[in-house]
Short mmCIF file of all heavy atoms in Angstrom, two decimals:
data_model
loop_
_atom_site.label_atom_id
_atom_site.label_comp_id
_atom_site.label_asym_id
_atom_site.label_seq_id
_atom_site.Cartn_x
_atom_site.Cartn_y
_atom_site.Cartn_z
N ILE A 29 1.27 -7.26 5.17
CA ILE A 29 1.14 -7.97 6.50
C ILE A 29 2.66 -8.52 6.68
O ILE A 29 3.25 -9.13 5.80
CB ILE A 29 0.19 -9.14 6.31
CG1 ILE A 29 -1.23 -8.59 6.01
CG2 ILE A 29 0.30 -10.02 7.53
CD1 ILE A 29 -2.24 -9.71 5.84
N TYR A 30 3.01 -8.43 7.92
CA TYR A 30 4.23 -9.07 8.41
C TYR A 30 3.90 -10.42 9.00
O TYR A 30 3.08 -10.57 9.87
CB TYR A 30 4.94 -8.25 9.46
CG TYR A 30 6.06 -8.85 10.06
CD1 TYR A 30 7.33 -8.76 9.56
CD2 TYR A 30 5.99 -9.63 11.29
CE1 TYR A 30 8.48 -9.43 10.06
CE2 TYR A 30 7.09 -10.19 11.87
CZ TYR A 30 8.34 -10.15 11.25
OH TYR A 30 9.38 -10.74 11.89
N ILE A 31 4.51 -11.45 8.42
CA ILE A 31 4.45 -12.80 8.97
C ILE A 31 5.86 -13.24 9.27
O ILE A 31 6.65 -13.39 8.31
CB ILE A 31 3.75 -13.78 8.01
CG1 ILE A 31 2.35 -13.28 7.65
CG2 ILE A 31 3.65 -15.18 8.67
CD1 ILE A 31 1.70 -14.02 6.43
N GLY A 32 6.19 -13.44 10.55
CA GLY A 32 7.51 -13.75 10.88
C GLY A 32 7.74 -14.13 12.32
O GLY A 32 6.79 -14.41 13.05
N ASP A 33 8.99 -14.05 12.76
CA ASP A 33 9.30 -14.46 14.09
C ASP A 33 9.83 -13.20 14.82
O ASP A 33 9.36 -12.10 14.61
CB ASP A 33 10.25 -15.57 14.15
CG ASP A 33 11.51 -15.32 13.36
OD1 ASP A 33 11.76 -14.14 12.99
OD2 ASP A 33 12.33 -16.15 13.23
N MET A 34 10.75 -13.35 15.69
CA MET A 34 11.36 -12.25 16.45
C MET A 34 12.51 -11.63 15.71
O MET A 34 13.35 -10.94 16.32
CB MET A 34 11.80 -12.73 17.83
CG MET A 34 10.78 -13.10 18.77
SD MET A 34 9.70 -11.68 19.16
CE MET A 34 10.94 -10.53 19.90
N PRO A 47 -0.74 -4.77 9.91
CA PRO A 47 -0.89 -6.08 10.65
C PRO A 47 0.39 -6.91 10.69
O PRO A 47 1.08 -6.97 9.76
CB PRO A 47 -2.03 -6.73 9.89
CG PRO A 47 -2.79 -5.65 9.19
CD PRO A 47 -1.72 -4.60 8.88
N MET A 48 0.54 -7.49 11.87
CA MET A 48 1.69 -8.35 12.15
C MET A 48 1.20 -9.70 12.74
O MET A 48 0.38 -9.70 13.67
CB MET A 48 2.69 -7.64 13.05
CG MET A 48 3.05 -6.27 12.64
SD MET A 48 4.23 -5.46 13.85
CE MET A 48 5.82 -6.25 13.39
N PHE A 49 1.77 -10.70 12.27
CA PHE A 49 1.55 -12.08 12.70
C PHE A 49 2.80 -12.72 13.14
O PHE A 49 3.75 -12.74 12.29
CB PHE A 49 0.76 -12.91 11.66
CG PHE A 49 -0.65 -12.44 11.46
CD1 PHE A 49 -0.92 -11.42 10.59
CD2 PHE A 49 -1.75 -12.96 12.10
CE1 PHE A 49 -2.23 -10.94 10.35
CE2 PHE A 49 -2.99 -12.53 11.92
CZ PHE A 49 -3.22 -11.47 11.05
N PHE A 50 2.93 -13.21 14.29
CA PHE A 50 4.19 -13.80 14.76
C PHE A 50 4.10 -15.33 14.93
O PHE A 50 3.17 -15.84 15.58
CB PHE A 50 4.57 -13.21 16.14
CG PHE A 50 4.70 -11.74 16.06
CD1 PHE A 50 3.69 -10.89 16.48
CD2 PHE A 50 5.92 -11.17 15.54
CE1 PHE A 50 3.85 -9.51 16.35
CE2 PHE A 50 6.03 -9.78 15.47
CZ PHE A 50 5.04 -8.97 15.84
N LEU A 51 5.05 -16.04 14.30
CA LEU A 51 5.10 -17.47 14.34
C LEU A 51 6.01 -17.84 15.57
O LEU A 51 7.16 -17.54 15.60
CB LEU A 51 5.74 -17.99 13.09
CG LEU A 51 5.08 -17.59 11.80
CD1 LEU A 51 5.82 -18.15 10.55
CD2 LEU A 51 3.58 -18.04 11.74
N ASN A 52 5.34 -18.37 16.62
CA ASN A 52 5.98 -18.60 17.82
C ASN A 52 6.25 -20.13 18.02
O ASN A 52 5.36 -20.94 18.16
CB ASN A 52 5.09 -18.11 19.03
CG ASN A 52 5.77 -18.25 20.33
OD1 ASN A 52 7.00 -18.30 20.46
ND2 ASN A 52 4.98 -18.31 21.41
N LYS A 53 7.56 -20.46 18.06
CA LYS A 53 7.91 -21.88 18.31
C LYS A 53 8.32 -22.15 19.79
O LYS A 53 8.03 -23.24 20.23
CB LYS A 53 9.18 -22.16 17.48
CG LYS A 53 8.87 -22.25 15.96
CD LYS A 53 9.98 -22.69 15.14
CE LYS A 53 10.07 -24.12 15.21
NZ LYS A 53 11.11 -24.80 14.36
N ASP A 54 8.83 -21.21 20.52
CA ASP A 54 9.31 -21.52 21.85
C ASP A 54 9.29 -20.36 22.85
O ASP A 54 9.85 -20.54 23.95
CB ASP A 54 10.69 -22.12 21.77
CG ASP A 54 11.68 -21.12 21.10
OD1 ASP A 54 11.28 -19.99 20.80
OD2 ASP A 54 12.83 -21.47 20.95
N ARG A 55 8.68 -19.24 22.55
CA ARG A 55 8.64 -18.11 23.39
C ARG A 55 7.37 -18.11 24.25
O ARG A 55 6.38 -18.62 23.80
CB ARG A 55 8.75 -16.83 22.71
CG ARG A 55 9.95 -16.67 21.86
CD ARG A 55 11.08 -16.01 22.61
NE ARG A 55 12.28 -15.98 21.75
CZ ARG A 55 13.09 -14.99 21.69
NH1 ARG A 55 12.90 -13.97 22.38
NH2 ARG A 55 14.19 -15.06 21.02
N LYS A 56 7.45 -17.49 25.47
CA LYS A 56 6.28 -17.28 26.25
C LYS A 56 5.93 -15.80 26.10
O LYS A 56 6.43 -15.00 26.98
CB LYS A 56 6.55 -17.69 27.64
CG LYS A 56 6.75 -19.23 27.77
CD LYS A 56 7.09 -19.52 29.22
CE LYS A 56 7.39 -21.09 29.37
NZ LYS A 56 8.49 -21.58 28.70
N PRO A 57 5.16 -15.37 25.16
CA PRO A 57 4.89 -13.92 24.90
C PRO A 57 4.45 -13.09 26.05
O PRO A 57 4.76 -11.99 26.09
CB PRO A 57 3.84 -13.97 23.77
CG PRO A 57 3.88 -15.32 23.20
CD PRO A 57 4.38 -16.27 24.28
N LEU A 58 3.73 -13.67 26.95
CA LEU A 58 3.20 -12.87 28.05
C LEU A 58 4.17 -12.73 29.18
O LEU A 58 4.14 -11.80 30.05
CB LEU A 58 1.94 -13.45 28.56
CG LEU A 58 0.81 -13.54 27.59
CD1 LEU A 58 -0.37 -14.19 28.22
CD2 LEU A 58 0.44 -12.07 27.14
N THR A 59 5.23 -13.61 29.27
CA THR A 59 6.21 -13.56 30.43
C THR A 59 7.63 -13.34 29.97
O THR A 59 8.42 -12.90 30.80
CB THR A 59 6.09 -14.87 31.27
OG1 THR A 59 6.37 -15.98 30.38
CG2 THR A 59 4.70 -14.96 31.89
N ASP A 60 8.00 -13.65 28.78
CA ASP A 60 9.39 -13.51 28.25
C ASP A 60 9.58 -12.12 27.80
O ASP A 60 9.06 -11.57 26.84
CB ASP A 60 9.58 -14.52 27.15
CG ASP A 60 11.06 -14.59 26.71
OD1 ASP A 60 11.79 -13.65 27.07
OD2 ASP A 60 11.44 -15.54 26.07
N ARG A 62 11.90 -10.84 26.29
CA ARG A 62 12.53 -10.73 24.92
C ARG A 62 11.38 -10.81 23.83
O ARG A 62 11.74 -10.68 22.64
CB ARG A 62 13.48 -11.88 24.79
CG ARG A 62 14.68 -11.77 25.70
CD ARG A 62 15.44 -13.08 25.65
NE ARG A 62 14.60 -14.23 25.98
CZ ARG A 62 14.93 -15.49 25.84
NH1 ARG A 62 16.01 -15.76 25.18
NH2 ARG A 62 14.07 -16.39 26.20
N SER A 63 10.11 -11.05 24.23
CA SER A 63 9.02 -11.29 23.34
C SER A 63 8.10 -9.98 23.25
O SER A 63 6.98 -10.10 22.89
CB SER A 63 8.28 -12.39 23.73
OG SER A 63 9.03 -13.57 23.76
N PHE A 64 8.55 -8.86 23.71
CA PHE A 64 7.69 -7.66 23.68
C PHE A 64 7.15 -7.36 22.29
O PHE A 64 5.99 -6.82 22.17
CB PHE A 64 8.41 -6.44 24.27
CG PHE A 64 8.57 -6.44 25.72
CD1 PHE A 64 9.52 -5.83 26.36
CD2 PHE A 64 7.63 -7.13 26.57
CE1 PHE A 64 9.73 -5.80 27.75
CE2 PHE A 64 7.77 -7.15 27.89
CZ PHE A 64 8.83 -6.48 28.54
N LEU A 65 7.92 -7.67 21.22
CA LEU A 65 7.42 -7.36 19.88
C LEU A 65 6.08 -8.10 19.64
O LEU A 65 5.20 -7.70 18.87
CB LEU A 65 8.39 -7.75 18.80
CG LEU A 65 8.15 -7.41 17.35
CD1 LEU A 65 7.96 -5.88 17.27
CD2 LEU A 65 9.22 -7.89 16.54
N PHE A 66 5.91 -9.32 20.30
CA PHE A 66 4.69 -10.04 20.10
C PHE A 66 3.45 -9.33 20.49
O PHE A 66 2.30 -9.71 20.12
CB PHE A 66 4.76 -11.40 20.90
CG PHE A 66 5.61 -12.49 20.27
CD1 PHE A 66 6.38 -12.24 19.13
CD2 PHE A 66 5.61 -13.79 20.89
CE1 PHE A 66 7.10 -13.21 18.62
CE2 PHE A 66 6.37 -14.79 20.33
CZ PHE A 66 7.16 -14.49 19.20
N LYS A 67 3.63 -8.26 21.36
CA LYS A 67 2.45 -7.50 21.75
C LYS A 67 1.95 -6.57 20.70
O LYS A 67 0.88 -5.93 20.90
CB LYS A 67 2.82 -6.69 23.02
CG LYS A 67 3.15 -7.56 24.22
CD LYS A 67 3.52 -6.64 25.36
CE LYS A 67 3.88 -7.55 26.56
NZ LYS A 67 4.25 -6.74 27.76
N CYS A 68 2.60 -6.60 19.54
CA CYS A 68 2.22 -5.70 18.50
C CYS A 68 1.41 -6.41 17.39
O CYS A 68 1.18 -5.86 16.34
CB CYS A 68 3.51 -5.11 17.84
SG CYS A 68 4.48 -4.04 18.96
N GLY A 69 1.06 -7.65 17.64
CA GLY A 69 0.26 -8.37 16.64
C GLY A 69 -0.26 -9.65 17.14
O GLY A 69 -0.17 -9.98 18.37
N HIS A 70 -0.69 -10.48 16.29
CA HIS A 70 -1.30 -11.76 16.60
C HIS A 70 -0.22 -12.82 16.65
O HIS A 70 0.66 -12.84 15.80
CB HIS A 70 -2.38 -12.20 15.60
CG HIS A 70 -3.45 -11.13 15.44
ND1 HIS A 70 -4.52 -11.11 16.35
CD2 HIS A 70 -3.62 -10.14 14.50
CE1 HIS A 70 -5.28 -10.15 15.88
NE2 HIS A 70 -4.75 -9.55 14.88
N VAL A 71 -0.23 -13.64 17.75
CA VAL A 71 0.76 -14.72 17.92
C VAL A 71 0.10 -16.01 17.47
O VAL A 71 -0.96 -16.38 17.90
CB VAL A 71 1.21 -14.84 19.37
CG1 VAL A 71 2.21 -15.97 19.54
CG2 VAL A 71 1.79 -13.47 19.83
N ILE A 72 0.81 -16.73 16.62
CA ILE A 72 0.36 -18.01 16.10
C ILE A 72 1.30 -19.12 16.67
O ILE A 72 2.53 -18.99 16.45
CB ILE A 72 0.34 -18.12 14.63
CG1 ILE A 72 -0.65 -17.03 14.01
CG2 ILE A 72 -0.12 -19.49 14.09
CD1 ILE A 72 -0.58 -16.84 12.57
N GLU A 73 0.88 -20.00 17.43
CA GLU A 73 1.73 -20.96 18.11
C GLU A 73 2.01 -22.15 17.11
O GLU A 73 1.22 -22.43 16.20
CB GLU A 73 0.99 -21.55 19.35
CG GLU A 73 0.61 -20.53 20.42
CD GLU A 73 1.83 -19.87 21.01
OE1 GLU A 73 2.91 -20.45 20.96
OE2 GLU A 73 1.59 -18.79 21.61
N GLU A 74 3.08 -22.81 17.35
CA GLU A 74 3.61 -23.82 16.49
C GLU A 74 2.57 -24.96 16.07
O GLU A 74 2.43 -25.26 14.87
CB GLU A 74 4.90 -24.49 16.98
CG GLU A 74 5.52 -25.44 16.04
CD GLU A 74 6.86 -25.92 16.50
OE1 GLU A 74 7.19 -25.83 17.67
OE2 GLU A 74 7.64 -26.45 15.62
N PRO A 75 1.74 -25.41 16.97
CA PRO A 75 0.78 -26.41 16.58
C PRO A 75 -0.29 -25.91 15.62
O PRO A 75 -0.91 -26.72 15.02
CB PRO A 75 0.03 -26.79 17.94
CG PRO A 75 1.06 -26.33 19.01
CD PRO A 75 1.80 -25.16 18.45
N ASP A 76 -0.41 -24.61 15.49
CA ASP A 76 -1.39 -23.96 14.62
C ASP A 76 -0.85 -23.44 13.32
O ASP A 76 -1.54 -22.91 12.54
CB ASP A 76 -2.10 -22.84 15.31
CG ASP A 76 -2.84 -23.26 16.60
OD1 ASP A 76 -3.36 -24.45 16.65
OD2 ASP A 76 -2.85 -22.45 17.55
N PHE A 77 0.43 -23.76 13.10
CA PHE A 77 1.13 -23.20 11.82
C PHE A 77 0.36 -23.73 10.60
O PHE A 77 0.27 -22.93 9.57
CB PHE A 77 2.56 -23.64 11.74
CG PHE A 77 3.48 -22.89 12.62
CD1 PHE A 77 4.85 -23.16 12.72
CD2 PHE A 77 2.99 -21.90 13.52
CE1 PHE A 77 5.65 -22.47 13.52
CE2 PHE A 77 3.84 -21.19 14.39
CZ PHE A 77 5.23 -21.50 14.30
N GLN A 79 -2.61 -23.90 10.12
CA GLN A 79 -3.89 -23.18 9.98
C GLN A 79 -3.58 -21.74 9.69
O GLN A 79 -4.46 -20.87 9.97
CB GLN A 79 -4.75 -23.30 11.22
CG GLN A 79 -5.12 -24.82 11.48
CD GLN A 79 -5.77 -24.92 12.91
OE1 GLN A 79 -6.51 -24.04 13.27
NE2 GLN A 79 -5.40 -25.89 13.62
N LEU A 80 -2.42 -21.36 9.25
CA LEU A 80 -1.99 -20.03 9.08
C LEU A 80 -2.95 -19.11 8.39
O LEU A 80 -3.37 -18.05 8.87
CB LEU A 80 -0.55 -19.95 8.48
CG LEU A 80 0.04 -18.61 8.23
CD1 LEU A 80 0.42 -17.93 9.60
CD2 LEU A 80 1.28 -18.71 7.38
N THR A 82 -6.09 -19.53 7.63
CA THR A 82 -7.36 -19.43 8.30
C THR A 82 -7.32 -18.45 9.48
O THR A 82 -8.23 -17.63 9.74
CB THR A 82 -7.88 -20.80 8.79
OG1 THR A 82 -7.84 -21.68 7.65
CG2 THR A 82 -9.22 -20.83 9.42
N ILE A 83 -6.23 -18.54 10.22
CA ILE A 83 -6.06 -17.66 11.39
C ILE A 83 -5.96 -16.23 10.91
O ILE A 83 -6.54 -15.30 11.54
CB ILE A 83 -4.82 -18.12 12.24
CG1 ILE A 83 -5.12 -19.49 12.87
CG2 ILE A 83 -4.45 -17.06 13.26
CD1 ILE A 83 -3.95 -20.14 13.52
N ILE A 84 -5.19 -15.91 9.85
CA ILE A 84 -5.01 -14.59 9.35
C ILE A 84 -6.40 -14.07 8.91
O ILE A 84 -6.73 -12.84 9.28
CB ILE A 84 -3.95 -14.51 8.20
CG1 ILE A 84 -2.57 -14.78 8.74
CG2 ILE A 84 -4.08 -13.30 7.48
CD1 ILE A 84 -1.52 -14.94 7.71
N LYS A 86 -9.23 -14.84 9.99
CA LYS A 86 -10.13 -14.62 11.15
C LYS A 86 -9.67 -13.47 11.96
O LYS A 86 -10.51 -12.66 12.47
CB LYS A 86 -10.10 -15.85 12.04
CG LYS A 86 -10.97 -15.82 13.27
CD LYS A 86 -10.85 -17.11 14.07
CE LYS A 86 -11.66 -16.95 15.38
NZ LYS A 86 -11.51 -18.16 16.24
N LYS A 87 -8.41 -13.24 12.14
CA LYS A 87 -7.83 -12.29 13.13
C LYS A 87 -7.60 -10.87 12.37
O LYS A 87 -7.53 -9.93 13.06
CB LYS A 87 -6.48 -12.72 13.65
CG LYS A 87 -6.56 -13.99 14.43
CD LYS A 87 -7.17 -13.72 15.79
CE LYS A 87 -7.11 -14.88 16.70
NZ LYS A 87 -7.63 -14.66 18.05
N LEU A 88 -7.48 -10.89 11.08
CA LEU A 88 -7.16 -9.57 10.42
C LEU A 88 -8.23 -8.42 10.78
O LEU A 88 -7.79 -7.33 11.02
CB LEU A 88 -7.05 -9.85 8.90
CG LEU A 88 -6.38 -8.80 8.12
CD1 LEU A 88 -4.95 -8.58 8.66
CD2 LEU A 88 -6.24 -9.29 6.62
N GLN A 90 -9.54 -7.88 13.43
CA GLN A 90 -9.35 -7.49 14.83
C GLN A 90 -8.04 -6.71 15.02
O GLN A 90 -7.66 -6.44 16.17
CB GLN A 90 -9.34 -8.71 15.76
CG GLN A 90 -10.61 -9.50 15.67
CD GLN A 90 -10.44 -10.88 16.36
OE1 GLN A 90 -9.50 -11.11 17.03
NE2 GLN A 90 -11.32 -11.80 16.06
N ASP A 91 -7.34 -6.40 13.88
CA ASP A 91 -5.97 -5.88 14.07
C ASP A 91 -5.97 -4.47 14.70
O ASP A 91 -4.95 -4.01 15.19
CB ASP A 91 -5.30 -5.78 12.69
CG ASP A 91 -3.87 -5.47 12.83
OD1 ASP A 91 -3.06 -6.23 13.33
OD2 ASP A 91 -3.55 -4.26 12.36
N GLN A 93 -6.75 -3.41 17.35
CA GLN A 93 -6.37 -3.48 18.79
C GLN A 93 -4.82 -3.25 19.03
O GLN A 93 -4.39 -2.89 20.08
CB GLN A 93 -6.84 -4.73 19.44
CG GLN A 93 -6.13 -5.93 18.88
CD GLN A 93 -6.64 -7.19 19.53
OE1 GLN A 93 -6.66 -7.34 20.74
NE2 GLN A 93 -7.09 -8.18 18.70
N PHE A 94 -4.07 -3.38 17.91
CA PHE A 94 -2.64 -3.33 17.97
C PHE A 94 -2.00 -2.01 17.52
O PHE A 94 -0.82 -1.81 17.67
CB PHE A 94 -1.94 -4.50 17.26
CG PHE A 94 -2.30 -5.87 17.83
CD1 PHE A 94 -3.14 -6.66 17.17
CD2 PHE A 94 -1.87 -6.31 19.01
CE1 PHE A 94 -3.58 -7.93 17.65
CE2 PHE A 94 -2.24 -7.50 19.54
CZ PHE A 94 -3.08 -8.34 18.80
N GLN A 97 -0.20 0.02 20.27
CA GLN A 97 1.00 -0.69 20.81
C GLN A 97 2.16 -0.63 19.82
O GLN A 97 3.24 -0.46 20.16
CB GLN A 97 0.59 -2.13 21.11
CG GLN A 97 1.74 -2.94 21.60
CD GLN A 97 2.17 -2.53 22.99
OE1 GLN A 97 1.41 -1.92 23.78
NE2 GLN A 97 3.50 -2.70 23.30
N ARG A 98 1.82 -0.68 18.48
CA ARG A 98 2.89 -0.63 17.50
C ARG A 98 3.49 0.82 17.43
O ARG A 98 4.71 0.95 17.29
CB ARG A 98 2.35 -0.98 16.10
CG ARG A 98 2.11 -2.45 15.95
CD ARG A 98 1.94 -2.93 14.50
NE ARG A 98 0.60 -2.50 13.99
CZ ARG A 98 -0.46 -3.26 13.86
NH1 ARG A 98 -0.41 -4.50 14.27
NH2 ARG A 98 -1.56 -2.89 13.35
#
Side-chain angles (χ1 to χ4, degrees):
I29 297 173
Y30 173 85
I31 302 171
D33 56 9
M34 286 299 298
M48 301 178 81
F49 291 85
F50 300 100
L51 306 175
N52 185 24
K53 288 184 83 170
D54 59 2
R55 303 266 174 143
K56 294 177 180 67
L58 298 176
T59 58
D60 188 342
R62 297 170 299 163
S63 302
F64 283 153
L65 187 61
F66 281 8
K67 295 178 180 183
C68 295
H70 302 278
V71 178
I72 302 171
E73 302 295 340
E74 188 173 16
D76 300 325
F77 286 178
Q79 301 169 39
L80 179 67
T82 305
I83 292 170
I84 290 173
K86 180 180 176 185
K87 298 286 187 179
L88 201 53
Q90 303 167 15
D91 188 70
Q93 66 182 307
F94 298 107
Q97 182 65 27
R98 287 193 288 260

